[in-house]
Amino acid sequence: MIPIPRTRRAAVAAGLALSLVLALAAAGARAGDSRAGAGGDTAAASPGERLESMTGPILLETAQAEFRKAASVTMTGFALKDGRRAVFTVSADREGHCTVSSTEEGQGPSLVLRVLDETFVRMDPQACAREWGAATASKFDGRWIRLPPDRALDDIGAFCDLTTVPVVGAPDPAGQALSGGGLSVGGTRTMSFLVTSPDDPPFLGYVATQGPPRPVRVETQAYDFQVDFGDYDKPVAVTAPPADQVVDLAALTENTP
């Protein structure tokens, strides 16, 4: 997992997919839902309404609202990155704790730890060399890299911030959100939805019908991308690496050609 990738394709795919679940509150009006308010209010579910009877925009808005209530979540999945499949697991809470493990084909795992306002990255040497060059990678030597506070995580690491789980702009005004049928995903009963747009590939998603109607999965075959949501509200335990195993990014790149 490369925090600041050269190729944005996987980041765009992941961000679009998650934004469709978590940032489509305005999609109700754009999708022409008949229950949206005449004054531009977003669509809302009727009290006690079953997911099976909801339109696509209302189903998405309901999932979004429930996601915002969750104290934490674990996201597991895969995506294409630089032409290679990367598998990842991200556990994050709303207090600023996060762990990330990501492995690309042909490399070892890269890790991210976020402890409140500090972020530490331990990259596979090949990924480090590709990101910052061989000279910098030679200094890496398996240590944790502390990112400066103003260095935001892109790509999979951006999932650490649940308040801004990657949002790649607003959905296309010409797009549509459509509800689908029921399906069991990982043993959880769900209602499916489909989001289409003239400019982007279609995305499929699933919302739990058992318990809170939270996102369970989002996927698109166009980018070979899938993310599953689970372990909602479970504590995310993170401990900062020992100081003697940490190097600041500025020191790592200092005097490197």
Side-chain angles (χ1 to χ4, degrees):
M1 199 282 298
I2 303 177
I4 310 296
R6 297 177 187 273
T7 300
R8 299 286 177 174
R9 184 179 181 188
V12 170
L16 280 171
L18 289 175
S19 70
L20 292 172
V21 180
L22 309 175
L24 275 178
R30 282 197 285 264
D33 185 85
S34 61
R35 283 180 288 187
D41 295 334
T42 56
S46 301
E49 182 175 5
R50 292 170 52 85
L51 265 65
E52 290 83 354
S53 66
M54 292 181 185
T55 62
I58 293 179
L59 184 61
L60 289 175
E61 185 176 344
T62 300
Q64 176 197 31
E66 288 296 331
F67 185 88
R68 288 197 299 264
K69 297 177 185 177
S72 63
V73 64
T74 293
M75 295 163 276
T76 60
F78 55 83
L80 281 182
K81 183 170 178 56
D82 297 328
R84 298 181 298 273
R85 176 179 277 202
V87 296
F88 60 88
T89 299
V90 181
S91 294
D93 65 21
R94 298 190 184 277
E95 303 300 320
H97 304 92
C98 183
T99 65
V100 179
S101 175
S102 176
T103 304
E104 294 179 38
E105 289 179 314
Q107 329 185 144
S110 293
L111 307 173
V112 174
L113 296 179
R114 176 171 286 179
V115 185
L116 300 178
D117 59 347
E118 288 196 303
T119 302
F120 306 89
V121 180
R122 189 166 70 188
M123 301 173 67
D124 174 84
Q126 294 181 56
C128 187
R130 194 165 60 248
E131 179 63 28
W132 288 302
T136 295
S138 67
K139 301 178 183 179
F140 173 59
D141 194 27
R143 290 178 290 179
W144 290 91
I145 302 170
R146 182 181 5 236
L147 299 183
D150 60 346
R151 188 68 174 267
L153 286 172
D154 291 330
D155 200 79
I156 296 166
F159 296 175
C160 279
D161 190 347
L162 296 184
T163 64
T164 58
V165 168
V167 177
V168 185
D172 190 316
Q176 295 188 51
L178 307 172
S179 61
L183 183 70
S184 178
V185 176
T188 300
R189 291 176 58 190
T190 70
M191 278 296 295
S192 64
F193 61 83
L194 172 69
V195 177
T196 62
S197 167
D199 299 320
D200 295 308
F203 290 86
L204 265 172
Y206 307 88
V207 179
T209 60
Q210 299 168 300
R214 290 167 169 169
V216 174
R217 173 177 292 174
V218 176
E219 62 187 0
T220 173
Q221 294 183 355
Y223 290 119
D224 190 26
F225 174 86
Q226 176 181 296
V227 59
D228 286 356
F229 302 84
D231 287 342
Y232 282 101
D233 299 325
K234 291 190 176 181
V236 179
V238 187
T239 302
D244 61 356
Q245 296 180 22
V246 175
V247 60
D248 287 330
L249 178 61
L252 188 67
T253 58
E254 188 177 34
N255 300 321
T256 298

